[in-house]
């Protein structure tokens, strides 16, 4: 067969971590999920690891790992997050690459990516090399092999970028056909014009570089890629398959590679059920033998390039003006606000270039004084980024310096490298991609720049902020609330900055809301309590203590003393300062505790001001996730009181409300709200029980219909989802428990006959695994006339089909 199809998915999210905490904080815009990484993982990355094939009745007949059948790349910073926060999906991705090697002649489906999606042609040579070195090291550590290909951020390329890839052993990259300049058959003299995508995407091309090195280039099929992303091609898997196979030249005997490239998020996030269209298309093509599914590495081995090509300098796949989208107001935007200006892009680019150029000589000079090769050390710092175990970091320091460093020098060494790390992250491409300078993507890059400058100030004592903010003043906002990026800096970025005292304040305040204040996880910091006392008087509490705060990233540390007063709800007053000695702490302790024992809260607040001066803190200085945690605790008490009131209204007025509904009258709004709240609450309580009373759930669901209850659908569906998942996990561990299987089948029958729409995705995955294992075993026993096995198979079939799966 001379027809081959390769589908490439570029799976990527920008790094979203708070630069001081090294954690992604709560993002309300991603509701009901904690943050956008979590949401897109649920909608796309997880779905593609176990995608469904359905029959014409909508029943699931097979589950496939799409990653094992396509070409893909994942952003290294996204995989770092996924390894910590979604380890099962992370492992499925790694496993898919191993499976793909068996499928594709030893070649893996995964390819690398430049580390944090920097626009490579706009980077200096040093940064380009580091991006590739970090990307390769990250890939090797995760996938256990070297990447054959590498994805360039936004496919942005020039000759220098290709040289960097080739120098580090990368064999190929994927580009838009609009990036091709000219082509010819190898050994022929005449070149053919390729501008305007006048190049055949069905073959690989060799690019001979000035150094003499070569790279293979794959120019993807633009019309089909465009149709997938923007023209609804994923509405039907069969339609998708026919579009892919319909591009072949039926008269050609030469090998043809039909290949496309889109954002991986297209399959499930941008287009719901897009992952299923992808699965069906791949399945259909293979089943009907319409073409052979392949990946770039395998195809390159089978059919080395017979043509060569040159590229247009400084081009990308998402800017018709080349790479101007990331440095000027070129007219490319996301389409939401046609009247908005992106003139802010140039001053933001200039600001970051200024940061880079200011920090490089500082870094180089200080690193050399520590006896280290500055740029080789930075290139190798990915080893620390991926493994911050203290012993490993200490070995890294020793391996990269020519003498033993003191404790203070070790801290300086790590601060210098973190400064460079964040100076790399600030160039993440998303900061320029969207329409508004105060959007979360641009502000995230500004956060990284600010962290780099804070570290530079710690190391040099110089003030960089004033000049940096002057650059931001020139970046005019389309949002009247801000006017320019400098105002957003003061409102969003500056309050986010941390030092060890602020971390200590967080520890002090959080300690009031935990059962174990002696040891609290503080993201990338560690707090060790050296003295802690809490005094209580009714709702009021006063914590006084001394703690040791240490960064697990830079190893900087501080002894602090603190006092924090909670007078109820979220009303908190506290102070933190560096520990100055036992006498001062004894005075602090005596004065605060004496005033509190007297019940003189005003005096306690005045003493906090006296002892801590400008280092006063409140609820608003907590990290976002802990603000929510405390508010949830406070709200829990309030909601209990409200629930009691609602229950009384419901019980006292139920006969009247039932009568009103029986004559088809509309309940007065206050009464309808009461019914909605109480029935939703009871249903949630029933579904959250360790073992659900199926009859109770059935009665409550009938009550929903009878009383026209408007349920909190998200909450109820989530509760049902979690309970069914937990029940399936139990069955996975105890497959012989047929009573449990029967119970679960009965519960699913009730749920499926109602308006509820829980998410069975994970439960279906478990059932599918049981089908492939335990079910097959019992089927074999059933054939031996084993009645117990036959009964088990019948019961499992009922459960399986209750989850919309078809045996």
């Amino acid at each position: 067969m001379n027809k081959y199809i390769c589908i490439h998915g570029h799976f990527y999210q920008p790094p979203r971590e708070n630069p001081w905490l090294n954690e992604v904080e709560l993002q309300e815009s991603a509701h009901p999920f904690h943050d956008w990484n979590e949401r897109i993982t649920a909608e796309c990355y997880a779905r593609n690891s176990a995608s469904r094939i359905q029959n014409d009745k909508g029943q699931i007949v097979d589950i496939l790992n799409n990653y094992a059948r396509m070409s893909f790349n994942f952003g290294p910073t996204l995989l770092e997050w996924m390894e910590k926060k979604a380890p099962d999906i992370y492992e499925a991705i790694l496993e898919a690459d191993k499976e793909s090697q068996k499928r594709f002649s030893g070649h893996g489906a995964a390819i690398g990516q430049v580390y944090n999606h920097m626009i490579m042609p706009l980077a200096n040579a040093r940064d380009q090399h580091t991006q590739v070195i970090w990307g390769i090291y990250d890939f090797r550590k995760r996938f256990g092999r070297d990447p054959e290909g590498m994805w360039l951020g936004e496919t942005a390329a020039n000759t220098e970028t290709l040289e960097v890839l080739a120098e580090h052993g990368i064999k190929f990259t994927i580009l838009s056909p609009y990036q091709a300049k000219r082509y010819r058959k190898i050994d022929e003299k005449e070149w053919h014009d390729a501008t305007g995508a006048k190049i055949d995407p069905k073959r690989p091309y060799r690019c001979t570089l000035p150094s003499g090195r070569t790279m293979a280039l794959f120019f993807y099929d633009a019309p089909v890629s465009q149709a997938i992303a923007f023209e609804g091609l994923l509405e039907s898997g069969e339609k998708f398959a026919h579009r892919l196979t319909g591009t072949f030249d039926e008269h050609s005997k030469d090998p043809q590679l039909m290949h496309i490239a889109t954002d991986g998020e297209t399959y499930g996030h941008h287009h719901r059920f897009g992952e299923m269209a992808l699965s069906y298309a791949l399945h259909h093509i293979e089943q009907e033998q319409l073409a052979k599914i392949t990946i770039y590495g395998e195809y390159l081995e089978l059919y080395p390039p017979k043509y060569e090509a040159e590229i247009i300098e400084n081009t990308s796949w998402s800017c018709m003006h080349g790479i101007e989208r990331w440095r000027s107001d070129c007219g490319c935007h996301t389409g939401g606000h046609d009247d908005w200006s992106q003139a802010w892009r140039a001053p933001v680019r200039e600001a970051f270039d200024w940061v880079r150029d200011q920090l490089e000589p500082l870094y180089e000079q200080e690193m050399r004084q520590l006896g280290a090769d500055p740029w080789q050390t930075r290139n190798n710092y990915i080893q620390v980024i991926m493994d911050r175990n203290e012993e490993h970091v200490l070995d890294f320091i020793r391996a990269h310096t020519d003498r033993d460093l003191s404790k203070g020098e070790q801290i300086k060494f790590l601060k210098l490298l973190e400064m460079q790390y964040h100076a790399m992250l600030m160039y993440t491409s998303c900061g320029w991609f969207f329409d508004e300078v105060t959007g979360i993507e641009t502000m995230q890059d500004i956060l990284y720049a600010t962290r780099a400058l804070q570290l530079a100030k710690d190391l040099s004592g110089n003030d960089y902020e004033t000049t940096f903010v002057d650059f931001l003043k020139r970046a005019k906002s389309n949002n009247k609330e801000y006017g320019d990026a400098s105002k957003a800096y003061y409102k969003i970025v500056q309050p986010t900055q941390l030092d060890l005292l602020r971390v200590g304040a967080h520890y002090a305040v959080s300690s009031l809301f935990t059962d174990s204040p002696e040891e609290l996880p503080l993201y990338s910091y560690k707090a060790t309590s050296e003295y802690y006392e809490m005094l209580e008087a009714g709702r009021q509490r006063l914590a006084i203590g001394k703690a040791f705060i240490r960064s697990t990233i830079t190893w900087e540390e501080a002894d602090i003393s603190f006092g924090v007063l909670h007078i109820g709800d979220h009303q908190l007053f506290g102070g933190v300062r560096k520990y100055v000695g036992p006498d001062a702490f004894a005075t602090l302790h005596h004065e605060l505790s004496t005033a509190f024992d007297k019940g003189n809260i005003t005096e306690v607040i005045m003493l906090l001001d006296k002892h801590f001066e400008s280092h006063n803190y409140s609820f608003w200085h907590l990290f976002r996730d802990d603000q929510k945690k405390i508010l949830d605790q406070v709200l829990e008490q309030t909601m209990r009181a409200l629930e009691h009131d609602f229950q009384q209204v419901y019980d006292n007025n139920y006969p009247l409300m039932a009568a009103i509904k029986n004559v088809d009258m509309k309940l007065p709004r206050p009464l309808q709200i009461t019914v909605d709240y109480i029935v939703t609450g009871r249903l949630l309580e029933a579904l959250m029980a360790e073992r659900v009373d199926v009859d109770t759930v059935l009665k409550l669901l009938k009550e929903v219909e009878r009383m026209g209850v408007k349920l909190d659908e998200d909450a109820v569906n989530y509760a049902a989802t979690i309970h069914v998942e937990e029940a399936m996990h139990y069955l996975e561990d105890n497959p012989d428990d047929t009573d449990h299987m029967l119970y679960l089948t009965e519960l699913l029958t009730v749920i499926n006959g109602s308006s509820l729409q829980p998410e069975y995705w994970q439960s279906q995955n478990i059932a599918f695994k049981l089908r492939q294992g335990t079910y097959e075993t019992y089927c074999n026993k059933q054939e031996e006339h084993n009645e117990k096995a036959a009964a088990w198979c019948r019961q499992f079939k009922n459960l399986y089909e209750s989850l919309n799966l078809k045996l």
Side-chain angles (χ1 to χ4, degrees):
M1 181 178 287
N2 70 336
K3 298 173 184 175
Y4 292 82
I5 288 176
C6 173
I7 295 174
H8 183 82
H10 165 50
F11 295 92
Y12 163 75
Q13 292 299 304
R16 292 190 168 99
E17 284 75 9
N18 176 312
W20 289 269
L21 302 179
N22 206 27
E23 288 281 344
V24 180
E25 292 191 280
L26 180 69
Q27 294 175 317
E28 286 90 348
S29 59
H31 182 79
F33 296 90
H34 176 271
D35 55 72
W36 279 101
N37 280 1
E38 191 177 281
R39 178 170 179 167
I40 296 170
T41 296
E43 294 175 350
C44 174
Y45 308 140
R47 300 283 167 163
N48 279 285
S49 73
S51 183
R52 279 61 173 139
I53 299 286
Q54 292 183 328
N55 61 19
D56 55 2
K57 295 178 181 177
Q59 295 171 306
I60 298 162
V61 294
D62 205 355
I63 296 179
L64 305 177
N65 188 333
N66 282 345
Y67 301 117
R69 291 166 170 77
M70 65 189 296
S71 171
F72 67 86
N73 73 279
F74 267 88
T77 56
L78 174 59
L79 286 178
E80 181 186 359
W81 175 89
M82 202 176 285
E83 184 179 13
K84 292 187 288 187
K85 302 295 184 180
D88 52 336
I89 309 307
Y90 174 77
E91 288 299 330
I93 292 164
L94 302 190
E95 191 55 42
D97 183 67
K98 291 187 178 70
E99 183 185 331
S100 71
Q101 291 174 53
K102 298 171 188 172
R103 184 183 299 274
F104 299 122
S105 317
H107 298 273
I111 68 170
Q113 181 195 292
V114 293
Y115 186 73
N116 62 277
H117 217 256
M118 189 182 283
I119 299 300
M120 294 286 274
L122 292 175
N124 64 24
R126 217 179 251 139
D127 285 358
Q128 289 198 52
H129 280 281
T130 302
Q131 284 281 304
V132 174
I133 290 167
W134 285 10
I136 290 172
Y137 184 88
D138 184 278
F139 186 96
R140 188 185 298 130
K141 286 285 283 185
R142 298 185 192 284
F143 293 97
R145 61 181 181 85
D146 286 333
E148 293 184 85
M150 182 161 277
W151 182 269
L152 295 167
E154 302 293 339
T155 76
N158 59 14
T159 299
E160 182 185 7
T161 299
L162 298 183
E163 284 278 21
V164 173
L165 294 182
E167 184 178 334
H168 292 286
I170 299 300
K171 295 177 183 176
F172 69 84
T173 193
I174 307 158
L175 300 176
S176 161
Y178 291 94
Q179 293 178 265
K181 180 182 179 182
R182 58 182 187 169
Y183 71 94
R184 66 182 176 187
K185 201 164 189 178
I186 291 172
D187 296 330
E188 285 188 357
K189 289 185 178 180
E190 187 181 350
W191 288 92
H192 305 281
D193 177 36
T195 58
K198 295 191 293 288
I199 192 165
D200 186 353
K202 293 185 184 63
R203 59 170 75 110
Y205 295 83
R206 187 178 76 190
C207 181
T208 304
L209 301 166
S211 65
R213 299 185 183 94
T214 62
M215 280 280 296
L217 303 178
F218 289 92
F219 297 101
Y220 63 79
D221 187 300
V224 180
S225 300
Q226 180 84 2
I228 291 165
F230 303 109
E231 296 170 20
L233 192 53
L234 296 181
E235 290 170 7
S236 161
E238 192 169 354
K239 179 181 169 186
F240 183 21
H242 289 158
R243 182 69 186 272
L244 292 171
T245 56
T247 59
F248 290 115
D249 180 353
E250 296 297 334
H251 303 293
S252 174
K253 293 182 180 178
D254 292 332
Q256 302 175 69
L257 175 67
M258 194 297 155
H259 65 108
I260 55 171
T262 64
D263 286 335
E265 293 73 26
T266 303
Y267 305 107
H269 172 58
H270 299 314
H271 298 283
R272 195 177 180 206
F273 305 125
E275 82 285 353
M276 291 170 63
L278 172 59
S279 299
Y280 186 89
L282 292 171
H283 179 75
H284 181 71
I285 290 165
E286 286 185 320
Q287 286 285 99
E288 300 299 320
Q289 298 184 343
L290 302 175
K292 186 180 186 307
I293 304 299
T294 188
I295 56 173
Y296 293 112
E298 181 186 54
Y299 192 83
L300 204 54
E301 181 183 7
L302 291 171
Y303 305 108
K306 293 183 177 179
Y307 285 77
E308 59 182 334
E310 292 180 354
I311 64 167
I312 304 170
E313 296 296 311
N314 301 324
T315 52
S316 67
W317 77 341
S318 52
C319 176
M320 62 185 294
H321 313 94
I323 53 172
E324 294 308 305
R325 186 171 196 151
W326 298 277
R327 65 179 173 186
S328 71
D329 187 8
C330 67
C332 289
H333 55 83
T334 52
H337 303 273
D338 290 339
D339 58 329
W340 280 13
S341 164
Q342 283 77 53
W344 54 267
R345 286 173 176 159
V348 169
R349 170 69 58 181
E350 289 162 17
F352 291 174
D353 286 348
W354 175 83
V355 171
R356 178 196 63 198
D357 296 342
Q358 289 293 306
L359 302 192
E360 277 192 357
L362 170 66
Y363 171 75
E364 196 161 23
Q365 176 186 326
E366 295 294 331
M367 265 298 180
R368 291 199 189 283
Q369 287 181 5
L370 295 173
D373 178 327
W375 304 111
Q376 186 60 49
T377 302
R378 187 182 80 165
N379 285 343
N380 293 344
Y381 188 54
I382 184 65
Q383 298 169 22
V384 171
I385 293 166
M386 294 192 73
D387 181 2
R388 294 191 183 272
N389 173 276
E390 197 158 313
E391 204 54 50
H392 176 257
V393 177
L394 196 55
D395 288 342
F396 180 87
I397 294 172
R398 288 170 181 152
H400 288 80
T401 52
D402 61 8
R403 58 184 171 83
D404 288 337
L405 300 188
S406 67
K407 193 174 181 180
E409 288 175 325
Q410 289 173 358
I411 292 170
K412 180 185 278 192
F413 179 91
L414 293 173
K415 280 188 170 183
L416 284 163
L417 285 164
E418 275 298 292
M419 178 182 78
Q420 281 296 307
Y421 174 57
H422 287 95
M424 295 280 278
L425 292 181
M426 73 182 177
Y427 280 117
T428 300
S429 67
C430 299
W432 290 267
F433 189 85
F434 296 95
D435 294 357
E436 167 54 22
V437 69
T438 61
I440 59 174
E441 296 84 8
T442 313
M443 297 314 295
Q444 182 70 36
D445 283 1
I446 292 173
L447 281 167
Y448 288 128
T450 302
R451 176 58 175 153
L453 292 177
Q454 182 194 45
L455 289 163
K457 184 179 180 181
D458 288 351
L459 292 159
S460 68
N462 296 332
D463 171 40
Y464 298 93
E465 184 182 52
T466 304
T467 306
F468 183 61
V469 170
D470 284 342
F471 276 106
L472 298 182
K473 284 177 182 174
R474 292 166 42 211
K476 301 303 178 185
S477 170
N478 296 289
N479 189 330
K480 291 179 182 178
E481 178 188 352
Y482 293 109
D484 61 59
S486 72
K487 293 183 177 65
Y489 172 85
Y490 287 120
K491 187 171 181 178
I492 300 169
V493 177
Q494 202 176 56
T496 305
Q497 292 186 60
L498 295 179
D499 56 20
L500 291 177
L501 282 182
R502 170 90 183 271
V503 175
H506 175 87
Y507 164 71
V509 173
S510 298
S511 72
L512 291 166
F513 298 88
T514 180
D515 295 329
S516 305
E518 296 80 14
E519 218 172 292
L520 282 179
L522 294 174
Y523 306 95
S524 57
Y525 296 88
K526 186 179 179 181
T528 306
S529 176
E530 297 180 342
Y531 174 84
Y532 189 89
E533 183 178 3
M534 185 187 291
L535 306 172
E536 296 187 63
R539 291 184 67 196
Q540 296 161 357
R541 292 179 293 171
L542 174 69
I544 305 169
K546 175 181 179 296
F548 178 69
I549 309 294
R550 187 172 192 263
S551 166
T552 58
I553 304 291
T554 64
W555 296 1
E556 59 185 323
E557 54 193 38
D559 276 312
I560 62 154
S561 56
F562 61 85
V564 59
L565 173 70
H566 181 215
I567 61 175
D569 295 336
H570 69 289
Q571 300 298 313
L572 297 151
F573 303 90
V576 177
R577 71 182 183 193
K578 286 191 175 178
Y579 179 74
V580 292
D583 293 341
F585 183 72
T587 302
L588 163 73
H589 184 280
H590 173 73
E591 292 184 0
L592 282 173
S593 57
T594 301
F596 186 80
D597 287 341
K598 289 178 184 174
N600 194 336
I601 300 305
T602 303
E603 186 180 350
V604 173
I605 294 170
M606 290 172 62
L607 286 168
L608 289 170
D609 284 338
K610 168 190 163 185
H611 284 286
F612 299 107
E613 298 173 344
S614 62
H615 295 297
N616 287 323
Y617 296 93
S618 69
F619 168 83
W620 306 108
H621 291 91
L622 281 168
F623 308 145
R624 291 182 66 80
D625 283 64
D626 290 85
Q627 285 180 347
K628 183 180 184 302
K629 199 183 298 179
I630 289 169
L631 287 175
D632 285 346
Q633 285 187 34
V634 171
L635 273 172
E636 192 178 341
Q637 300 165 8
T638 305
M639 293 308 291
R640 273 203 298 266
L642 279 172
E643 193 170 326
H644 177 265
D645 294 341
F646 271 116
Q647 188 67 56
Q648 281 196 314
V649 173
Y650 182 84
D651 292 341
N652 293 339
N653 295 279
Y654 185 78
L656 174 62
M657 293 188 293
I660 292 171
K661 280 293 182 183
N662 282 336
V663 295
D664 291 330
M665 286 177 61
K666 189 176 180 181
L667 277 177
R669 192 158 181 268
L671 291 178
Q672 185 65 59
I673 290 170
T674 301
V675 174
D676 294 347
Y677 182 81
I678 292 298
V679 176
T680 294
R682 287 180 177 175
L683 193 51
L684 283 171
E685 187 180 355
L687 289 168
M688 284 161 38
E690 189 172 338
R691 188 176 177 95
V692 169
D693 186 318
V694 179
D695 288 338
T696 299
V697 170
L698 182 60
K699 286 174 186 172
L700 286 167
L701 289 171
K702 286 180 178 176
E703 184 77 347
V704 168
E705 288 185 24
R706 182 168 58 251
M707 300 298 287
V709 174
K710 186 176 180 182
L711 289 172
D712 181 346
E713 290 180 358
D714 286 344
V716 175
N717 285 330
Y718 180 76
T721 298
I722 295 302
H723 183 82
V724 173
E725 273 182 28
E726 289 174 351
M728 285 300 299
H729 278 298
Y730 172 85
L731 192 63
E732 186 177 25
D733 296 332
N734 304 275
D736 291 330
D737 191 340
T738 50
D739 287 342
H740 183 80
M741 207 186 297
L742 178 61
Y743 150 72
L744 189 49
T745 305
E746 289 173 351
L747 177 60
L748 287 167
T749 302
V750 167
I751 291 172
N752 293 342
S754 74
S755 61
L756 299 185
Q757 291 183 311
E759 176 53 73
Y760 292 147
W761 184 80
Q762 185 63 20
S763 297
Q764 289 166 342
N765 291 346
I766 296 168
F768 190 74
K769 223 183 291 182
L770 282 168
R771 171 201 162 177
Q772 292 176 314
T774 311
Y775 179 75
E776 295 293 339
T777 302
Y778 275 115
C779 276
N780 293 332
K781 290 181 180 179
Q782 182 179 247
E783 289 172 7
E784 298 165 8
H785 305 292
N786 183 319
E787 183 50 42
K788 185 181 176 184
W792 191 97
C793 289
R794 285 194 298 271
Q795 188 61 58
F796 181 77
K797 183 175 184 290
N798 292 336
L799 173 63
Y800 200 72
E801 293 186 349
S802 296
L803 288 166
N804 196 38
L805 292 156
K806 182 68 177 172
L807 281 168

